[in-house]
Amino acid sequence: MAMLGTNYIEVGAIILFGIGFMILLLNNNLIKKIIGMNIMDTSIFLLFITIGNIDGKEAPIIVGGKMSAAGYINPIPSALMLTGIVVAVSVTACMLALTIKYHAYYGTIELDEIKAIRGENDE
């Protein structure tokens, strides 16, 4: 079992996720919620890329001589994280577009004010 002291990046990713989750949970401003979700996305990418790296092995890019497959890391986690980054950017763009529409319609991006305008009660 690895010592906690040697897993600085993993611990940092978990702390970042917690910060992003708290921002998402505690703020009523839609822009701040989007920022919190992006912090959570980034922490997940950091965690999985860190876990996918293996000391002593190289990226699967052949330069010069060939070596056996055992000398390279698995490229699938990195490829999945690239796909995740594209999805995160697309979701962020969609959320920002919806926030612009909310602001144009309600005149605010605060969820409390939007609920008050719509006449919804916190029950």
Side-chain angles (χ1 to χ4, degrees), residues 9-106:
I9 298 175
E10 288 90 347
V11 171
I14 292 168
I15 291 170
L16 272 177
F17 188 88
I19 290 169
F21 185 71
M22 293 309 291
I23 290 171
L24 191 66
L25 192 65
L26 297 177
N27 286 299
N28 284 319
N29 188 307
L30 291 174
I31 299 294
K32 290 180 183 177
K33 285 187 178 286
I34 293 169
I35 291 170
M37 195 164 127
N38 280 324
I39 292 171
M40 290 170 59
D41 290 342
T42 303
S43 70
I44 295 295
F45 302 148
L46 176 65
L47 180 68
F48 279 111
I49 289 172
T50 303
I51 290 172
N53 186 30
I54 300 171
D55 290 336
K57 295 191 177 187
E58 295 183 20
I61 301 170
I62 298 174
V63 178
K66 295 181 180 178
M67 76 173 130
S68 69
Y72 297 112
I73 62 169
N74 188 355
I76 293 177
S78 299
L80 288 175
M81 290 306 102
L82 283 174
T83 304
I85 290 168
V86 170
V87 170
V89 169
S90 301
V91 168
T92 301
C94 185
M95 288 189 304
L96 287 171
L98 288 172
T99 302
I100 290 169
K101 290 293 184 180
Y102 268 119
H103 186 267
Y105 188 78
Y106 293 108

